[in-house]
């Protein structure tokens, strides 16, 4: 059975980090995942102008309802989405019930999705932890009953570097680390920064994105729309038309950092393998052949503790663990494997029934006169 999942992502439009468009395609295309809901995590800094926002992240930016709508159209789905509160939590118990109603839709969608599920649901966090922490504060008993695990993609492997997702809402991370819920930690950064390699952080790089050119045409256009930072208002028609060649070339030549693959491999019940011929692939864990070598992408037991900065510490242990933490062996080997395996996975995605954003095979029976005088 596919794994039921709720995704919380700091996806914006136009993309502040177009990589979120890239990663959100995974749960739509993976048949081993049952995507139940998307919560768009929003922070006030990202909505500000260039002069008042976060240096290096020009604004204004709005919640990424466009890429979610594009993916729903491409895959014939109606995955619901909601918007998180924009402001940081004021205390670890904050329920943020005093934010505008529109900003309540994210936490409430998360809670409604859990209530409606007959089985425990995995909650994926790829932004601030605020929407999850706020929802937990509103109904802790529901979380303890219905959350299979929280997968927190945030933090660093030490207290020496304040990672971005923690910065967005430190109290939210503290709340989740201390909540006693099933928790998996996927540190984005090392003690140096979020672009360094370590055994427990998840970063890896594509040197370029030219492999996107070989994808299903509609998926290729979706990625070029997001990664190309398009501001086209006709965002569905953009799925029917190739962008200008210079836009595609700019995207294809881009070096691209990835942090979320480790969590998706784990949650989808997949494995990263090297076949006997030396090629790499992401396959169902149950389908690993005896001749395959599994490239480590593992969650190992640990004792985790929150820190006043919002960061956390962890120590590997089999004795009374209270969390799991990501582990890999040689990060460079891991990167080499994924540079081949992830494009191969994306190339296998084909949105069933996609006929374009207009009429598909249908045509109007005859030309029609525009409304006007009949005599």
């Amino acid at each position: 059975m596919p794994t039921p999942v709720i995704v919380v992502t700091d996806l914006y439009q136009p993309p502040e980090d177009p990589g979120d468009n890239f990663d959100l395609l995974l749960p739509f295309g993976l048949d081993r995942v049952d995507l139940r809901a998307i919560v768009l995590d929003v922070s006030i800094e990202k909505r500000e102008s260039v002069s008042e926002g976060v240096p290096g992240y020009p604004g204004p930016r709005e919640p990424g309802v466009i890429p979610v709508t594009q993916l729903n159209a491409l895959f014939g789905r109606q995955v619901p989405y909601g918007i998180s509160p924009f402001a940081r939590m004021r205390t670890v118990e904050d329920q943020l019930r005093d934010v505008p109603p529109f900003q309540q839709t994210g936490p409430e969608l998360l809670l409604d999705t859990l209530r409606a599920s007959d089985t425990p649901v995995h909650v994926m966090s790829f932004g601030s932890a605020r929407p999850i922490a706020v929802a937990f504060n509103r109904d802790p008993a529901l979380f303890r009953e219905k959350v299979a695990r929280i997968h927190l993609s945030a933090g660093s492997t030490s207290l020496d570097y304040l990672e971005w997702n923690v910065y967005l809402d430190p109290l939210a991370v503290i709340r989740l680390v201390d909540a006693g819920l099933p928790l998996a930690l996927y540190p984005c950064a090392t003690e140096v920064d979020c672009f360094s390699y370590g055994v427990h952080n998840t970063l890896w790089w594509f040197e370029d994105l030219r492999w996107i050119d070989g994808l299903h045409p509609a998926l290729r256009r979706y990625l070029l729309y997001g990664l190309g930072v398009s501001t086209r208002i006709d965002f569905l028609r953009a799925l029917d038309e190739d962008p200008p060649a210079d836009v595609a070339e700019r995207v294809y030549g881009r070096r691209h950092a990835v942090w979320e693959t480790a969590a998706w491999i784990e949650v989808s019940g997949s494995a990263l393998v090297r076949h006997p011929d030396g090629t790499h692939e992401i396959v169902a864990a149950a389908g690993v052949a005896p001749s395959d070598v599994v490239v480590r992408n593992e969650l190992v037991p640990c004792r985790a503790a929150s820190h006043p900065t919002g960061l956390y510490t962890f120590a590997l242990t089999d004795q009374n663990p209270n969390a799991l933490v990501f582990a890999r062996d040689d990060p460079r080997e891991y990167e080499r494997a994924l540079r081949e395996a992830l494009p191969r996975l994306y190339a296998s995605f084909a949105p069933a029934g996609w006929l374009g954003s207009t009429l598909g095979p249908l045509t109007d029976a005859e030309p029609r006169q525009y409304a006007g005088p009949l005599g």
Side-chain angles (χ1 to χ4, degrees):
M1 293 289 291
T3 305
V5 167
I6 298 170
V7 173
V8 178
T9 175
D10 59 343
L11 176 64
Y12 291 86
Q13 182 64 32
E16 159 270 309
D17 175 5
D20 293 307
N21 298 64
F22 174 94
D23 295 309
L24 190 59
L25 177 53
L26 277 170
F28 278 89
L30 274 171
D31 59 8
R32 298 187 286 277
V33 170
D34 176 11
L35 180 58
R36 302 283 181 87
I38 298 167
V39 178
L40 296 172
D41 176 50
V42 185
S43 296
I44 193 65
E45 296 96 333
K46 301 290 187 67
R47 301 192 66 251
E48 299 295 338
S49 66
V50 173
S51 61
E52 297 172 357
V54 180
Y57 298 91
R61 305 283 169 173
E62 295 292 3
V65 299
I66 287 177
V68 172
T69 303
Q70 287 176 320
L71 287 170
N72 272 328
L74 282 170
F75 288 92
R77 303 281 299 280
Q78 193 53 52
V79 179
Y81 69 84
I83 309 299
S84 80
F86 296 173
R88 286 178 174 84
M89 295 171 65
R90 295 156 293 195
T91 68
V92 292
E93 295 87 12
D94 201 346
Q95 298 184 18
L96 286 174
R97 293 188 182 274
D98 50 346
V99 302
F102 181 66
Q103 298 174 38
Q104 304 281 357
T105 57
E108 288 304 312
L109 173 62
L110 203 162
L111 292 170
D112 288 343
T113 304
L114 292 177
R115 292 184 187 109
S117 180
D118 294 331
T119 59
V121 179
H122 290 262
V123 181
M124 316 283 287
S125 180
F126 300 122
S128 88
R130 181 185 311 123
I132 305 172
V134 167
F136 172 72
N137 285 341
R138 294 182 184 186
D139 198 337
L142 177 67
F143 264 65
R144 299 192 191 283
E145 177 188 1
K146 291 292 187 71
V147 169
R149 192 170 303 280
I150 293 174
H151 299 262
L152 183 63
S153 183
S156 306
T157 57
S158 80
L159 299 178
D160 298 308
Y161 182 81
L162 181 59
E163 186 267 335
W164 175 254
N165 289 339
V166 173
Y167 159 81
L168 289 174
D169 204 315
L171 292 179
V173 176
I174 292 171
R175 184 56 165 155
L176 294 186
V177 171
D178 292 344
L181 294 165
L183 179 66
L185 302 170
Y186 301 83
C188 295
T190 67
E191 72 280 0
V192 178
D193 60 26
C194 60
F195 298 111
S196 299
Y197 296 86
V199 171
H200 293 291
N201 77 313
T202 58
L203 169 83
W204 64 280
W205 287 89
F206 275 121
E207 283 301 319
D208 63 63
L209 296 175
R210 296 192 181 279
W211 54 269
I212 290 176
D213 194 50
L215 301 186
H216 183 285
L219 301 186
R220 180 179 70 243
R221 292 165 188 154
Y222 162 78
L223 288 176
L224 290 174
Y225 182 94
L227 294 167
V229 197
S230 175
T231 56
R232 282 185 64 167
I233 193 62
D234 54 341
F235 57 86
L236 290 180
R237 185 175 294 276
L239 302 176
D240 300 331
E241 301 172 355
D242 290 324
D246 64 315
V247 172
E249 186 57 31
R250 185 173 71 249
V251 171
Y252 294 161
R254 170 181 169 177
R255 190 169 186 254
H256 182 72
V258 190
W259 287 272
E260 299 180 8
T261 317
W264 284 118
I265 289 175
E266 174 64 30
V267 168
S268 64
S270 301
L272 175 61
V273 301
R274 182 171 63 254
H275 296 306
D277 63 0
T279 61
H280 296 90
E281 189 175 6
I282 295 171
V283 301
V288 175
S291 57
D292 290 333
V293 175
V294 175
V295 179
R296 190 183 187 202
N297 185 105
E298 188 179 2
L299 290 175
V300 296
C302 68
R303 289 291 302 176
S306 67
H307 186 268
T309 60
L311 294 168
Y312 52 78
T313 59
F314 61 90
L316 304 187
T317 180
D318 292 323
Q319 303 298 317
N320 299 316
N322 64 349
L324 302 171
V325 66
F326 170 72
R328 56 186 173 181
D329 292 327
D330 180 352
R332 300 289 184 171
E333 178 194 5
Y334 182 82
E335 179 177 73
R336 285 191 295 271
L338 282 173
R339 283 178 177 176
E340 180 181 13
L342 195 60
R344 186 171 179 174
L345 180 64
Y346 274 86
S348 72
F349 295 167
W354 173 252
L355 298 170
S357 69
T358 52
L359 297 178
L362 301 178
T363 57
D364 283 331
E366 59 186 38
R368 298 284 181 173
Q369 179 181 346
Y370 283 106
L374 294 175

